Amino acid sequence: MRRCLMAVIPALLLSSAALAEPVHGISMHGTPALPADYKSFPYVNPNVKKGGKIAYGVVGTFDSLNPFVLRGMRTTARGVWDPDFGNLLYEPLMQRSNDEPFSLYGLLAESVEWDDERTYTQFNLNPKARWQDGKPVTPEDVIFTLELLKEKGRPPFNNRLTAVEKMEKVGEHGVRFIFNDKANRETPLILASSTPILPKHAIDPETFEKAGLGPVVGSGPYKIKSMRPGEKIIWERDPNYWGKDVPSKVGFDNYDEISITYFLQVNSMFEAFKKGDIDMYPEGDAINGNADSSHWGSAYNFPAANRGDILKEVFEPRLPSGMFGFVFNTRKPIFADEKVREGLSYVLDFEWLNRNILGGAFSRTQSYWQNSSLGAYGNPANEKELALLGDAAKRLSPEILAGTYMMPVSDGSGADRKVLRKAVDLLQEAGYKITGGRMVDANGRQLAFEVMTQNPAQERIALAYQRSLKLIGVNMAIRSVDDGQYQARSNNFDYDMIIRSFPSSLSPGIEQYNRWDSTSRDAPGSFNYAGAADPDIDRMIEALLQARSTEDFEAAVRGYDRLLVSGHYVIPLYYIGAQWVAHWKHLGKPDVTPLFGYQKPVWWDNRAQ
């Protein structure tokens, strides 16, 4: 609504743009923590001596160097566009600081201009920015990228221009985006940080969707040295990398060579780590369901670890819990009823699972932003939040509004009759009853579904859930699939239930559209795995995106959290407050752990020092 003026006074926006002062960084709320003359991020070693190499391992495979398209449901090589290992090949306009909730600093764009209302943003490219073939990065590249991704990209890349009224070159190095009424306050930051910039001169739009493992040209710090499709890729540092002295890149990209080896199973990857074939082994990976405290506590009794050649380190990020659990696909008629989802949620005996499968080291997740001021759990709804929720508050239980709602706590026996009775009662409200030891509907059909898993750790969790469901006559099958099939079926929502993680940050924003908004429900490749389509959820996403003050933002996220919890889209499992990482001792790291936890791209090889 505030941008309805766009239709009648675009000239005023251009005038405003002309008067704006360029800034070195931007933040979602407030101003960036670092001054314009900063030399590096606070969590790097700015004096590190670059050199040496590192060998990473991942579970999966790859058959493409193009992560931006859906065609063929391909699996992409890590590092191409990858915040975990670093954006080795393609880069965004601005670099995110992992020591602030959501602040960006110059990279391809050395400065930014915008107004207080964020009705436009102008990115001023660094004149030194170059592609790996020596050609300059230009405004034409930026415009080409956005138009190409709009036409041929996958979600969310194909939606970047939805909020843009006009995109134009300004001078020799500027690109200005004027926004329409679909934009929100996060739109400029997403364009800056989450959009890869591609080389117009090196990409044929006609073959972009078909691109597999052919030659590629980026602006990033590494080039591909060699690869064995599906098995291994070796990246080598580009000695002419244009951005090595940009403050937001000082202390990053410290290896001369990065290799990434792909394994079919996590056990095979660990054996390779023990032998020294890979240098780092992250434990406690909630995203892939590999959190196993018993493994962390007992699996390191082998010669290299006993000699002290392998170090085990624990890092403490300062982030919300996120949500990790069994995800109902509500597109399936069997899960369309919220009472069915709630009843099936009660069946999971977390206390038994935690003690017998997980080593007793974890806490159960109660909300999507637990352990933060953004979370509903532990924070009662205030007047500001209730006003935002409006009539939606009537749908929420008193416990959820009070912030006291919790998943049931069992006696840990694996067959707590009190909890199972509650689950059966809820399923009866949805039209089911137990007959002949089977949970059946009014037509005598048994309540049955399948959970799709992608690794042994997830399968162990699913087996524990299957064990409990049998006690009330529910038939749950388990199907483990390879990485390629898992990706393809996930992209097409071809499953009844999966185990997924929804990471949470202190600055939730436009990514929530792709996870929970109605518009993403039927978009292939979106992250709306649950199939949510709720106008109240849509409204709360918009509220958090349009929030101007910290108080408004917190109220919107808490209300959003309450709606997600109340919808029973996910059966919560556990969260890990720490990051567990084992690594060979020749790897070095900075002394400072940033807000988001340890960062692989700022480590180094001590043998090069």
Side-chain angles (χ1 to χ4, degrees), residues 381-402 536 539-540 559 562-563 566:
N382 59 25
E383 291 185 7
K384 189 179 290 288
E385 185 185 335
L386 290 172
L388 282 172
L389 284 167
D391 288 343
K394 300 174 184 178
R395 299 166 42 190
L396 306 180
S397 70
E399 294 79 12
I400 287 179
L401 287 173
D536 288 322
R539 190 166 50 81
M540 296 307 290
R562 289 184 218 279
L563 290 173
S566 177

Side-chain angles (χ1 to χ4, degrees), residues 44 57 60 68 156 162 182 260 265 274 280 285 309 365 372 407 447 519 562 568 585:
V44 308
F68 313 120
T162 302
K182 294 183 176 63
I260 304 175
Q265 294 182 336
K274 290 165 62 175
M280 179 183 288
D285 184 357
D309 292 335
T365 309
S372 79
M407 297 304 297
L447 179 53
T519 58
R562 289 184 218 279
H568 301 286
K585 68 178 183 181

